[in-house]
Amino acid sequence: MTKILDGRALAAQLRARLATEVARLRASTGVVPGLRVLLIGEHPASLAYVRTKERAAREVGIDGRIERLPATIEEGALLARLAELNEDPSVHGVLVQLPLPAHIDPERILAAIDPRKDVDGFHPLNAGRLAQLLGPPPDDLLVPCTPRGCLLLLEEALGGLQALRGKRALVLGRSTIVGRPMAALLLAYDATVTIAHSRTRELAHECRRAEILIAAVGRAGLVRGDWLAPGSVVIDVGINRVALPDGTSRIVGDVAFEEAVGQVAAITPVPGGVGPMTVACLLDNTLRACRAQLARNGRIRS
Ligand code: NAD
């Protein structure tokens, strides 16, 4: 029996808890957590993502707003806008949607966000703290949303994160957005972690050894059913659009889902697995950032 990990239901539970906590914070301090999502240019997929984030924020009572800036904006002007948002006390979380137009250096932009408002967790200071972590992340550490969502799905699958201790975990993909922070989190919970990537030899062999497998590659059905260890837990981060013979298309993950079912202990579907958790974890980070900023200003106890 394979357990299908329902990311939509788990994300809905998390959002319900956040809505209660946001309402309580508002009642006791008068403060509404503020999130600004900067979208530079007209990238259609990015527009859909930021709208989802804005809507989800509002549903839990967070003041989420998209700021649209032209694709031609100069880097200096974007940095100036970020400096304003860093200073604005009504804004607790700032996110710059990637990818950026080619003339803008993403590293410089991500490093210009106040690390305390860095709700994507991509600032080098937050990434460095995560890389050094041994044990659960402290409340004030802003961890990238997709890996945090994967961790919550693992917690659900394993009945607790202590079960990660000593487990052989394989992370497919080494991006700074998913693969690397995911590996750092698994390591923090005492898993024995391998990171595989496009230059890894004998990928199928690496997969077969894994008790926990996180696939974050972006190749439809790359991981076949017979690559998976019986009884393993599989989290599929991949989002791949594939064309169907009838001219339509659908979204699939990096793991051949139908082949995996019946073989593994638990697996996330695509869509409906990691995606909704990513958005819910962004809201969670916004509330964490807001609380930490209020605590620093003496408005609430940390
Ligand atoms: P990326 O392109 O930055 O990184 C892909 C990684 O896969 C690289 O490290 C590369 O070395 C590795 N790779 C490529 N081909 C490989 C192969 N044949 N074998 C082994 N490794 C290979 O992508 P990313 O931003 O990390 O995203 C990965 C996937 O996850 C994409 O499909 C993306 O759309 C999806 N994603 C989903 C969410 C979500 O919320 N569900 C969030 C972020 C990314």
Side-chain angles (χ1 to χ4, degrees):
M1 267 288 283
T2 299
K3 181 173 183 185
I4 310 297
L5 299 166
D6 186 345
R8 285 197 186 108
L10 198 60
Q13 274 175 32
L14 176 54
R15 289 198 308 272
R17 177 169 69 69
L18 292 172
T20 307
E21 290 180 17
V22 167
R24 204 172 285 153
L25 186 75
R26 187 178 185 169
S28 62
T29 64
V31 173
V32 176
L35 169 68
R36 293 296 170 274
V37 181
L38 272 58
L39 176 65
I40 294 97
E42 303 289 331
H43 203 272
S46 293
L47 182 58
Y49 288 143
V50 298
R51 284 195 173 134
T52 303
K53 292 170 184 175
E54 182 188 46
R55 196 179 332 113
R58 291 184 175 215
E59 277 169 20
V60 301
I62 289 173
D63 177 20
R65 295 187 208 175
I66 300 173
E67 263 191 49
R68 295 192 68 170
L69 298 165
T72 51
I73 190 170
E74 287 190 13
E75 193 174 274
L78 180 54
L79 289 170
R81 182 61 192 133
L82 287 174
E84 285 172 1
L85 291 169
N86 285 345
E87 290 302 315
D88 185 340
S90 71
V91 174
H92 307 96
V94 177
L95 176 167
V96 177
Q97 185 67 38
L98 301 175
L100 290 169
H103 67 282
I104 298 179
D105 176 1
E107 271 183 41
R108 203 171 296 150
I109 297 303
L110 295 179
I113 297 171
D114 183 335
R116 292 166 294 202
K117 298 191 178 187
D118 169 40
V119 283
D120 254 343
F122 298 155
H123 189 285
L125 203 84
N126 288 322
R129 283 181 68 195
L130 176 59
Q132 290 176 28
L133 206 62
L134 280 179
D139 280 346
D140 71 332
L141 178 57
L142 297 170
V143 172
C145 306
T146 300
R148 168 101 70 183
C150 294
L151 195 69
L152 294 175
L153 286 158
L154 283 176
E155 186 175 28
E156 170 86 359
L158 298 169
L161 290 170
Q162 64 286 351
L164 284 173
R165 179 171 297 170
K167 284 246 164 45
R168 275 193 306 277
L170 176 68
V171 180
L172 288 183
R174 57 177 163 182
S175 74
T176 50
I177 293 173
V178 190
R180 283 172 203 243
M182 186 72 243
L185 274 178
L186 291 165
L187 201 54
Y189 282 91
D190 297 327
T192 302
V193 182
T194 303
I195 305 178
H197 47 78
S198 53
R199 301 281 181 266
T200 297
R201 285 180 286 117
E202 298 174 13
L203 194 60
H205 171 71
E206 294 294 339
C207 290
R208 283 188 193 110
R209 287 166 34 84
E211 296 168 281
I212 307 285
L213 191 145
I214 316 281
V217 172
R219 302 261 185 283
L222 171 79
V223 180
R224 309 308 306 247
D226 66 354
W227 294 18
L228 298 168
S232 57
V233 174
V234 178
I235 307 289
D236 193 348
V237 184
I239 300 177
N240 310 290
R241 186 169 284 285
V242 292
L244 298 175
D246 66 359
T248 60
S249 66
R250 71 180 182 121
I251 301 287
V252 299
D254 290 342
V255 180
F257 183 82
E258 302 300 337
E259 294 176 10
V261 171
Q263 171 94 351
V264 298
I267 186 168
T268 56
V270 178
V274 176
M277 292 303 293
T278 296
V279 179
C281 288
L282 171 66
L283 311 180
D284 186 40
N285 270 353
T286 305
L287 180 58
R288 278 172 203 273
C290 179
R291 281 212 182 106
Q293 285 159 56
L294 293 178
R296 204 171 33 255
N297 298 334
R299 303 273 303 271
I300 57 170
R301 281 204 208 124
S302 56

